[in-house]
Amino acid sequence: VQLVESGGDSAKTGGSLRLSCAVSPDSVNDICLAWFRQVPGKESEAVAALQSYGSASYADSVKGRYTVSLDNAKTTLYLQMDSLKPEDTGTYTCAASGSPCGLEYLLRRQPYSYWGQGTQVTVS
């Protein structure tokens, strides 16, 4: 599985960005996908994740502002980021598991075996 992110950019506080993560070579079925955020000097954290077959989950810091989704063909993962804050700044990386995962694991690092290279988001 290869994951390629795009959409990172600079934005003003209160603005919006949409990140995309293209999944290849096949569409995703029965796996979990997540967006992680890395800030220099800190561990990366999952900010949003979903089961390709079910529910989504969000970190408290982004609830109500971020929306994670899959396109109908299940080949692209999105992260819609609204009401951006300076603390949203970081490198965003998408990740995919190789198998189904329970809801309780969505925001943990453990289920994810495949990682993209990341895309930078800067909010000022």
Side-chain angles (χ1 to χ4, degrees):
V1 177
Q2 288 188 322
L3 305 168
V4 179
E5 303 94 338
S6 61
D9 204 345
S10 298
K12 296 292 187 187
T13 297
S16 297
L17 285 173
R18 188 174 80 157
L19 305 183
S20 300
C21 175
V23 182
S24 64
D26 300 313
S27 61
V28 299
N29 285 294
D30 299 332
I31 64 170
C32 295
L33 298 123
W35 286 99
F36 281 75
R37 178 172 64 205
Q38 173 79 61
V39 176
K42 292 187 178 181
E43 273 194 39
S44 67
E45 61 168 345
V47 294
L50 56 71
Q51 300 165 315
S52 64
Y53 48 90
S55 303
S57 186
Y58 298 89
D60 288 344
S61 60
V62 306
K63 270 181 190 171
R65 301 189 299 117
Y66 286 16
T67 304
V68 62
S69 62
L70 268 177
D71 69 338
N72 289 338
K74 296 190 176 180
T75 58
T76 306
L77 180 72
Y78 297 104
L79 184 65
Q80 179 66 41
M81 309 162 64
D82 298 319
S83 303
L84 285 166
K85 304 176 181 180
E87 51 263 44
D88 294 323
T89 294
T91 300
Y92 285 73
T93 302
C94 66
S97 67
S99 58
C101 70
L103 275 176
E104 67 272 28
Y105 292 100
L106 274 176
L107 295 180
R108 300 185 191 180
R109 195 173 184 88
Q110 177 192 347
Y112 302 102
S113 305
Y114 304 97
W115 298 83
Q117 292 300 307
T119 187
Q120 178 68 32
V121 170
T122 304
V123 184
S124 61

